[in-house]
Amino acid sequence: MLTLTDNARQAVVDLATQAELPADGGLRIAAAEGTPGDFDLALVTEAKTEDEVIDLGSTHVFVEKVTSTVLSDLSLDAEPNGASTAFSLTPQQA
């Protein structure tokens, strides 16, 4: 299962709070259409039916079912970059 670093957890919580998402909302990760190996990240108000849900307490990360398999051994990290946040995927630490 995709894991999140502490930085990524805090970034997702901050983004969801700033966007005033409802309690069922969060960050959704899905395969980018037409670009194999790339992923789209979007703030959404709820998960899609087959999404894997990572509960962060006050918000969630939703991972598209097909994408979940690809990301299963990766970790999502985040780094503030001025007014935005840069997310990256790295291998999980053993």
Side-chain angles (χ1 to χ4, degrees):
M1 173 189 277
L2 175 71
T3 61
L4 281 78
T5 65
D6 290 340
N7 288 344
R9 286 176 179 275
Q10 189 59 55
V12 172
V13 169
D14 291 347
L15 290 169
T17 300
Q18 290 170 7
E20 299 180 356
L21 292 178
D24 291 337
L27 178 74
R28 185 166 194 268
I29 303 172
E33 223 173 282
T35 313
D38 284 348
F39 303 96
D40 289 329
L41 281 71
L43 294 172
V44 297
T45 57
E46 62 185 9
K48 294 201 176 186
T49 304
E50 295 188 5
D51 284 351
E52 177 179 285
V53 178
I54 302 170
D55 187 354
L56 301 180
S58 61
T59 192
H60 308 86
V61 174
F62 309 120
V63 184
E64 177 186 47
K65 184 178 182 178
V66 172
T67 302
S68 177
T69 304
V70 175
L71 301 180
S72 65
D73 61 349
L74 298 177
S75 183
L76 183 67
D77 194 14
E79 183 175 322
N81 188 7
S84 64
T85 301
F87 286 95
S88 61
L89 292 165
T90 58
Q92 290 180 11
Q93 299 294 321

